[in-house]
Amino acid sequence: FQSTGLLDRKGVEIFEGDLVKGEYEGEQLIFEVIHKKVSFVLKRGIMTISFTNVNNIEIIGNVYQNPELLEK
């Protein structure tokens, strides 16, 4: 797993494949951390979002151990 070089709100390092919860446009949503071209982004369905557009990011699991979280 490759590190994003970023930390979540609790100071935990964020890696590719992590599932994170964050506030986007007033809603709490779950995103998958992916590597796209030259940067890391947050993916939800077909939408990709920059880390800078999401507030209060917190790791809640990863895609390998917690795939059911993506269904929420």
Side-chain angles (χ1 to χ4, degrees), residues 4-37:
T4 64
L6 301 172
L7 304 176
D8 77 353
R9 67 185 185 110
K10 294 182 178 179
V12 179
E13 190 172 10
I14 301 172
F15 288 86
E16 180 179 15
D18 279 343
L19 298 177
V20 297
K21 179 172 59 175
E23 184 180 324
Y24 177 72
E25 295 187 351
E27 287 188 69
Q28 286 291 319
L29 300 174
I30 296 173
F31 301 92
E32 177 184 350
V33 178
I34 64 168
H35 189 259
K36 188 169 183 179
K37 296 187 182 180

Side-chain angles (χ1 to χ4, degrees), residues 40-56:
F40 289 93
V41 295
L42 301 172
K43 179 178 184 260
R44 181 173 171 85
I46 61 170
M47 169 177 61
T48 56
I49 301 167
S50 167
F51 273 91
T52 58
N53 293 335
V54 179
N55 299 313
N56 299 315

